[in-house]
Amino acid sequence: MYKLLIIPLMLIVWLSLYAGAIDQELAMKSYYKGKQAVNRGAHAAALQLDSLALAEGIFQLDPIQARAEAERMIYLNLLLDEAGNPTAQSFIRKPVQIVHFDVLDASLSYPYHYKLDSYDFQTTFERPAVIVVIKISYPRIFSINNPVEWNIIGSAQLVPL
């Protein structure tokens, strides 16, 4: 008689462990898609040269165009609308926020050591650069688990011509 109880209980334990592993795999897939979107957005922003400064022979980024292009690429890659809210095709269920955006211009002396203490990020740039941080949330499969939230950081330098 006890065998009739052990087999279904073992099956329930195994299925719950398997569902937890699938949930963790989907969360990591969401993280990597978010990281890919941030990197693409940062690289697109790093291509936005300031044409007025370029006319004077100074290679620097246009901060307004850079932010607009970074937002456009991030929203495009994560399948978000213009306000950062997920569309029906998106794997994300909560709005994505760009929590930090910084453009390092040509007035700094390079190589420049950039440090962002609030997100524990530091790197050295050789040229003008862009730093983007987004906040993304992944809702878990089981509602008893809290959603996973990440601050994903991406950066890119101005590509020399």
Side-chain angles (χ1 to χ4, degrees):
M1 182 71 180
Y2 67 90
K3 290 179 186 176
L4 292 174
L5 292 175
I6 289 179
I7 292 172
L9 288 176
M10 290 300 291
L11 185 61
I12 289 170
V13 168
W14 183 80
L15 286 175
S16 64
L17 289 173
Y18 184 67
I22 288 174
D23 187 36
Q24 190 174 21
E25 187 67 29
L26 290 173
M28 290 311 298
K29 185 177 179 182
S30 297
Y31 172 79
Y32 287 119
K33 283 186 174 186
K35 180 64 175 167
Q36 185 179 38
V38 169
N39 286 340
R40 287 179 177 175
H43 284 277
L47 294 173
Q48 306 306 311
L49 283 172
D50 185 353
S51 58
L52 295 176
L54 186 60
E56 297 175 13
I58 301 170
F59 288 98
Q60 78 176 26
L61 301 172
D62 182 355
I64 296 169
Q65 285 182 338
R67 181 169 180 111
E69 191 62 23
E71 283 181 5
R72 190 183 76 75
M73 287 302 291
I74 291 169
Y75 292 174
L76 181 68
N77 281 280
L78 294 178
L79 302 173
L80 306 173
D81 64 10
E82 297 83 24
N85 298 317
T87 61
Q89 298 85 13
S90 180
F91 61 92
I92 299 170
R93 298 292 163 238
K94 291 188 177 180
V96 173
Q97 302 170 346
I98 297 177
V99 293
H100 183 81
F101 185 85
D102 200 5
V103 175
L104 304 179
D105 61 6
S107 66
L108 301 170
S109 61
Y110 291 95
Y112 181 76
H113 184 73
Y114 183 82
K115 191 171 184 179
L116 188 60
D117 289 328
S118 56
Y119 297 105
D120 194 27
F121 174 75
Q122 61 182 354
T123 189
T124 301
F125 293 111
E126 301 294 326
R127 292 176 286 285
V130 174
I131 299 93
V132 182
V133 181
I134 66 167
K135 185 174 186 174
I136 189 171
S137 178
Y138 172 74
R140 306 295 287 264
I141 291 175
F142 300 111
S143 61
I144 58 170
N145 294 334
N146 293 330
V148 181
E149 292 184 348
W150 298 286
N151 290 317
I152 303 175
I153 303 169
S155 66
Q157 300 183 93
L158 178 68
V159 179
L161 300 175

